[in-house]
Short mmCIF file of all heavy atoms in Angstrom, two decimals:
data_model
loop_
_atom_site.label_atom_id
_atom_site.label_comp_id
_atom_site.label_asym_id
_atom_site.label_seq_id
_atom_site.Cartn_x
_atom_site.Cartn_y
_atom_site.Cartn_z
N SER A 1 8.93 -5.77 -10.83
CA SER A 1 9.25 -4.88 -11.94
C SER A 1 8.74 -3.46 -11.74
O SER A 1 9.14 -2.55 -12.45
CB SER A 1 8.66 -5.44 -13.24
OG SER A 1 7.25 -5.57 -13.14
N GLN A 2 7.84 -3.25 -10.77
CA GLN A 2 7.27 -1.93 -10.57
C GLN A 2 6.85 -1.76 -9.12
O GLN A 2 6.75 -2.75 -8.38
CB GLN A 2 6.07 -1.71 -11.49
CG GLN A 2 4.96 -2.73 -11.31
CD GLN A 2 3.85 -2.55 -12.34
OE1 GLN A 2 3.91 -1.66 -13.18
NE2 GLN A 2 2.84 -3.39 -12.27
N PRO A 3 6.62 -0.53 -8.68
CA PRO A 3 6.23 -0.30 -7.27
C PRO A 3 4.89 -0.96 -6.95
O PRO A 3 4.12 -1.34 -7.83
CB PRO A 3 6.13 1.23 -7.19
CG PRO A 3 6.93 1.74 -8.33
CD PRO A 3 6.81 0.72 -9.42
N PHE A 4 4.62 -1.07 -5.67
CA PHE A 4 3.37 -1.67 -5.21
C PHE A 4 2.19 -0.73 -5.51
O PHE A 4 2.35 0.48 -5.68
CB PHE A 4 3.42 -1.96 -3.72
CG PHE A 4 4.49 -2.96 -3.35
CD1 PHE A 4 5.38 -2.71 -2.31
CD2 PHE A 4 4.60 -4.15 -4.04
CE1 PHE A 4 6.36 -3.61 -1.98
CE2 PHE A 4 5.59 -5.07 -3.71
CZ PHE A 4 6.47 -4.80 -2.68
N ASN A 5 1.01 -1.31 -5.51
CA ASN A 5 -0.23 -0.57 -5.81
C ASN A 5 -1.05 -0.44 -4.54
O ASN A 5 -1.30 -1.44 -3.85
CB ASN A 5 -1.01 -1.33 -6.89
CG ASN A 5 -2.17 -0.51 -7.43
OD1 ASN A 5 -2.58 0.48 -6.83
ND2 ASN A 5 -2.69 -0.91 -8.58
N ALA A 6 -1.47 0.77 -4.21
CA ALA A 6 -2.25 1.02 -3.01
C ALA A 6 -3.74 1.17 -3.29
O ALA A 6 -4.51 1.47 -2.38
CB ALA A 6 -1.74 2.27 -2.29
N SER A 7 -4.15 0.95 -4.52
CA SER A 7 -5.56 1.18 -4.87
C SER A 7 -6.50 0.19 -4.17
O SER A 7 -7.68 0.48 -3.99
CB SER A 7 -5.76 1.09 -6.39
OG SER A 7 -5.39 -0.20 -6.86
N ASP A 8 -5.98 -0.98 -3.76
CA ASP A 8 -6.82 -1.98 -3.10
C ASP A 8 -6.84 -1.84 -1.59
O ASP A 8 -7.47 -2.65 -0.90
CB ASP A 8 -6.33 -3.39 -3.47
CG ASP A 8 -6.59 -3.72 -4.93
OD1 ASP A 8 -7.45 -3.06 -5.54
OD2 ASP A 8 -5.91 -4.62 -5.45
N CYS A 9 -6.13 -0.84 -1.06
CA CYS A 9 -6.06 -0.68 0.39
C CYS A 9 -7.45 -0.40 0.97
O CYS A 9 -8.19 0.45 0.47
CB CYS A 9 -5.11 0.47 0.75
SG CYS A 9 -3.38 0.08 0.50
N GLY A 10 -7.78 -1.14 2.02
CA GLY A 10 -9.09 -1.00 2.65
C GLY A 10 -10.18 -1.77 1.95
O GLY A 10 -11.30 -1.88 2.47
N ASP A 11 -9.87 -2.32 0.77
CA ASP A 11 -10.85 -3.09 0.00
C ASP A 11 -10.44 -4.55 -0.07
O ASP A 11 -11.18 -5.45 0.33
CB ASP A 11 -10.99 -2.48 -1.40
CG ASP A 11 -12.03 -3.19 -2.24
OD1 ASP A 11 -12.90 -3.88 -1.66
OD2 ASP A 11 -12.00 -3.04 -3.48
N ARG A 12 -9.23 -4.80 -0.59
CA ARG A 12 -8.72 -6.16 -0.67
C ARG A 12 -7.46 -6.37 0.18
O ARG A 12 -7.01 -7.49 0.34
CB ARG A 12 -8.39 -6.51 -2.12
CG ARG A 12 -9.61 -6.47 -3.05
CD ARG A 12 -9.20 -6.82 -4.47
NE ARG A 12 -10.35 -6.76 -5.38
CZ ARG A 12 -10.27 -7.01 -6.68
NH1 ARG A 12 -9.10 -7.33 -7.22
NH2 ARG A 12 -11.35 -6.92 -7.45
N LYS A 13 -6.89 -5.27 0.65
CA LYS A 13 -5.67 -5.33 1.46
C LYS A 13 -5.87 -4.58 2.76
O LYS A 13 -6.62 -3.60 2.83
CB LYS A 13 -4.49 -4.68 0.72
CG LYS A 13 -4.07 -5.32 -0.58
CD LYS A 13 -2.93 -4.48 -1.18
CE LYS A 13 -2.46 -5.03 -2.50
NZ LYS A 13 -1.40 -4.18 -3.09
N PHE A 14 -5.16 -5.03 3.79
CA PHE A 14 -5.01 -4.27 5.03
C PHE A 14 -3.71 -3.49 4.89
O PHE A 14 -2.64 -4.09 4.71
CB PHE A 14 -4.96 -5.19 6.23
CG PHE A 14 -4.93 -4.47 7.56
CD1 PHE A 14 -6.07 -4.37 8.33
CD2 PHE A 14 -3.76 -3.88 8.02
CE1 PHE A 14 -6.04 -3.70 9.56
CE2 PHE A 14 -3.73 -3.21 9.22
CZ PHE A 14 -4.88 -3.12 9.99
N CYS A 15 -3.78 -2.15 4.94
CA CYS A 15 -2.60 -1.32 4.66
C CYS A 15 -2.26 -0.41 5.83
O CYS A 15 -3.16 0.08 6.53
CB CYS A 15 -2.81 -0.47 3.42
SG CYS A 15 -3.03 -1.41 1.89
N VAL A 16 -0.98 -0.20 5.99
CA VAL A 16 -0.45 0.81 6.91
C VAL A 16 0.44 1.73 6.08
O VAL A 16 1.37 1.26 5.41
CB VAL A 16 0.37 0.17 8.05
CG1 VAL A 16 0.86 1.25 9.01
CG2 VAL A 16 -0.44 -0.87 8.79
N ARG A 17 0.16 3.04 6.14
CA ARG A 17 0.92 3.98 5.33
C ARG A 17 1.36 5.19 6.16
O ARG A 17 0.65 5.61 7.07
CB ARG A 17 0.08 4.47 4.14
CG ARG A 17 -0.19 3.40 3.12
CD ARG A 17 -0.74 3.99 1.83
NE ARG A 17 -2.20 3.98 1.75
CZ ARG A 17 -2.88 4.46 0.73
NH1 ARG A 17 -2.26 4.98 -0.30
NH2 ARG A 17 -4.20 4.41 0.72
N ASN A 18 2.51 5.71 5.81
CA ASN A 18 3.03 6.91 6.44
C ASN A 18 3.82 7.72 5.40
O ASN A 18 4.81 7.21 4.88
CB ASN A 18 3.93 6.57 7.62
CG ASN A 18 4.53 7.79 8.28
OD1 ASN A 18 5.74 7.94 8.31
ND2 ASN A 18 3.71 8.67 8.80
N PRO A 19 3.38 8.94 5.05
CA PRO A 19 2.20 9.65 5.53
C PRO A 19 0.90 8.93 5.15
O PRO A 19 0.89 8.12 4.22
CB PRO A 19 2.29 11.01 4.83
CG PRO A 19 3.72 11.15 4.42
CD PRO A 19 4.18 9.76 4.11
N THR A 20 -0.16 9.25 5.86
CA THR A 20 -1.44 8.61 5.62
C THR A 20 -1.88 8.80 4.17
O THR A 20 -1.78 9.89 3.62
CB THR A 20 -2.50 9.20 6.56
OG1 THR A 20 -2.02 9.10 7.90
CG2 THR A 20 -3.81 8.43 6.45
N HIS A 21 -2.32 7.72 3.55
CA HIS A 21 -2.84 7.72 2.17
C HIS A 21 -1.78 8.10 1.14
O HIS A 21 -2.11 8.53 0.04
CB HIS A 21 -4.05 8.65 2.04
CG HIS A 21 -5.15 8.34 2.99
ND1 HIS A 21 -5.71 7.09 3.11
CD2 HIS A 21 -5.81 9.12 3.89
CE1 HIS A 21 -6.66 7.11 4.04
NE2 HIS A 21 -6.74 8.32 4.52
N CYS A 22 -0.49 7.95 1.47
CA CYS A 22 0.55 8.27 0.49
C CYS A 22 0.62 7.16 -0.57
O CYS A 22 0.10 6.06 -0.39
CB CYS A 22 1.90 8.43 1.18
SG CYS A 22 2.54 6.91 1.90
N ASP A 23 1.26 7.49 -1.67
CA ASP A 23 1.40 6.56 -2.78
C ASP A 23 2.74 5.83 -2.67
O ASP A 23 3.79 6.47 -2.61
CB ASP A 23 1.35 7.34 -4.10
CG ASP A 23 1.34 6.43 -5.33
OD1 ASP A 23 1.62 5.23 -5.18
OD2 ASP A 23 1.06 6.95 -6.43
N PRO A 24 2.75 4.50 -2.61
CA PRO A 24 4.03 3.77 -2.47
C PRO A 24 4.97 3.98 -3.64
O PRO A 24 6.14 3.59 -3.56
CB PRO A 24 3.59 2.30 -2.36
CG PRO A 24 2.21 2.26 -2.92
CD PRO A 24 1.60 3.59 -2.63
N LYS A 25 4.51 4.59 -4.71
CA LYS A 25 5.40 4.93 -5.81
C LYS A 25 6.25 6.16 -5.47
O LYS A 25 7.26 6.41 -6.13
CB LYS A 25 4.59 5.22 -7.08
CG LYS A 25 3.78 4.03 -7.58
CD LYS A 25 2.96 4.40 -8.81
CE LYS A 25 2.10 3.23 -9.28
NZ LYS A 25 1.27 3.60 -10.45
N ALA A 26 5.82 6.94 -4.49
CA ALA A 26 6.54 8.15 -4.10
C ALA A 26 7.72 7.77 -3.21
O ALA A 26 7.66 6.80 -2.46
CB ALA A 26 5.62 9.13 -3.39
N ASN A 27 8.78 8.59 -3.26
CA ASN A 27 9.97 8.23 -2.49
C ASN A 27 9.95 8.79 -1.07
O ASN A 27 10.99 8.87 -0.42
CB ASN A 27 11.24 8.69 -3.22
CG ASN A 27 11.23 10.18 -3.52
OD1 ASN A 27 10.50 10.93 -2.88
ND2 ASN A 27 12.02 10.61 -4.48
N ASN A 28 8.78 9.21 -0.59
CA ASN A 28 8.67 9.60 0.82
C ASN A 28 7.64 8.75 1.55
O ASN A 28 7.23 9.08 2.65
CB ASN A 28 8.28 11.08 0.93
CG ASN A 28 6.87 11.34 0.44
OD1 ASN A 28 6.36 10.60 -0.41
ND2 ASN A 28 6.23 12.37 0.97
N CYS A 29 7.22 7.65 0.93
CA CYS A 29 6.09 6.87 1.45
C CYS A 29 6.57 5.55 2.05
O CYS A 29 7.27 4.77 1.38
CB CYS A 29 5.09 6.60 0.33
SG CYS A 29 3.61 5.71 0.88
N PHE A 30 6.21 5.30 3.30
CA PHE A 30 6.41 4.00 3.93
C PHE A 30 5.10 3.23 3.84
O PHE A 30 4.05 3.72 4.27
CB PHE A 30 6.84 4.16 5.38
CG PHE A 30 8.24 4.71 5.52
CD1 PHE A 30 8.44 6.07 5.64
CD2 PHE A 30 9.34 3.87 5.52
CE1 PHE A 30 9.71 6.59 5.75
CE2 PHE A 30 10.62 4.38 5.63
CZ PHE A 30 10.81 5.73 5.74
N PHE A 31 5.17 2.04 3.27
CA PHE A 31 3.97 1.29 2.89
C PHE A 31 4.10 -0.14 3.37
O PHE A 31 5.15 -0.78 3.23
CB PHE A 31 3.81 1.34 1.37
CG PHE A 31 2.68 0.51 0.83
CD1 PHE A 31 1.37 0.97 0.87
CD2 PHE A 31 2.92 -0.74 0.28
CE1 PHE A 31 0.34 0.21 0.37
CE2 PHE A 31 1.90 -1.51 -0.23
CZ PHE A 31 0.60 -1.03 -0.18
N LEU A 32 3.02 -0.66 3.94
CA LEU A 32 2.96 -2.05 4.39
C LEU A 32 1.55 -2.56 4.12
O LEU A 32 0.57 -1.90 4.48
CB LEU A 32 3.27 -2.13 5.89
CG LEU A 32 3.17 -3.50 6.55
CD1 LEU A 32 4.21 -4.46 6.00
CD2 LEU A 32 3.34 -3.37 8.07
N SER A 33 1.45 -3.73 3.48
CA SER A 33 0.13 -4.28 3.18
C SER A 33 0.10 -5.77 3.46
O SER A 33 1.12 -6.47 3.36
CB SER A 33 -0.26 -4.00 1.73
OG SER A 33 0.49 -4.81 0.84
N PHE A 34 -1.10 -6.26 3.81
CA PHE A 34 -1.35 -7.67 4.07
C PHE A 34 -2.58 -8.09 3.26
O PHE A 34 -3.62 -7.43 3.33
CB PHE A 34 -1.62 -7.92 5.56
CG PHE A 34 -0.52 -7.45 6.47
CD1 PHE A 34 -0.53 -6.14 6.96
CD2 PHE A 34 0.50 -8.30 6.86
CE1 PHE A 34 0.47 -5.70 7.81
CE2 PHE A 34 1.50 -7.87 7.71
CZ PHE A 34 1.49 -6.56 8.19
N LYS A 35 -2.46 -9.19 2.53
CA LYS A 35 -3.57 -9.70 1.74
C LYS A 35 -3.67 -11.21 1.92
O LYS A 35 -2.73 -11.95 1.63
CB LYS A 35 -3.37 -9.36 0.25
CG LYS A 35 -4.52 -9.79 -0.64
CD LYS A 35 -4.27 -9.39 -2.08
CE LYS A 35 -5.42 -9.80 -2.98
NZ LYS A 35 -5.18 -9.42 -4.40
N GLN A 36 -4.82 -11.66 2.44
CA GLN A 36 -5.00 -13.09 2.71
C GLN A 36 -5.17 -13.87 1.41
O GLN A 36 -5.87 -13.44 0.49
CB GLN A 36 -6.20 -13.32 3.62
CG GLN A 36 -6.37 -14.76 4.05
CD GLN A 36 -7.47 -14.96 5.07
OE1 GLN A 36 -8.15 -13.99 5.46
NE2 GLN A 36 -7.68 -16.20 5.52
N ASP A 37 -4.54 -15.03 1.36
CA ASP A 37 -4.64 -15.94 0.22
C ASP A 37 -4.75 -17.36 0.79
O ASP A 37 -3.74 -18.02 1.03
CB ASP A 37 -3.41 -15.79 -0.67
CG ASP A 37 -3.51 -16.65 -1.93
OD1 ASP A 37 -4.63 -17.10 -2.25
OD2 ASP A 37 -2.47 -16.88 -2.56
#
C-alpha cells in the first residue's frame, strides 16, 4: 500500500541504494534491502 522504508537500513536491514542514502519514496531512487527472518 505504500513505498518501502529505509529507516532500518544498516540497523535491521542490509541495503543497497543508488544514489547513496536516497529515499525509496523518491522517483529517482533504486533501492534493494535484505532482512533475515
Side-chain angles (χ1 to χ4, degrees):
S1 59
Q2 58 186 359
F4 298 131
N5 190 344
S7 61
D8 291 340
C9 287
D11 182 20
R12 298 180 181 179
K13 297 177 181 178
F14 185 102
C15 297
V16 182
R17 292 193 264 179
N18 178 241
T20 306
H21 304 307
C22 67
D23 186 347
K25 298 178 183 178
N27 56 21
N28 68 332
C29 183
F30 290 92
F31 175 80
L32 176 65
S33 72
F34 304 88
K35 183 178 180 180
Q36 185 174 1
D37 184 17

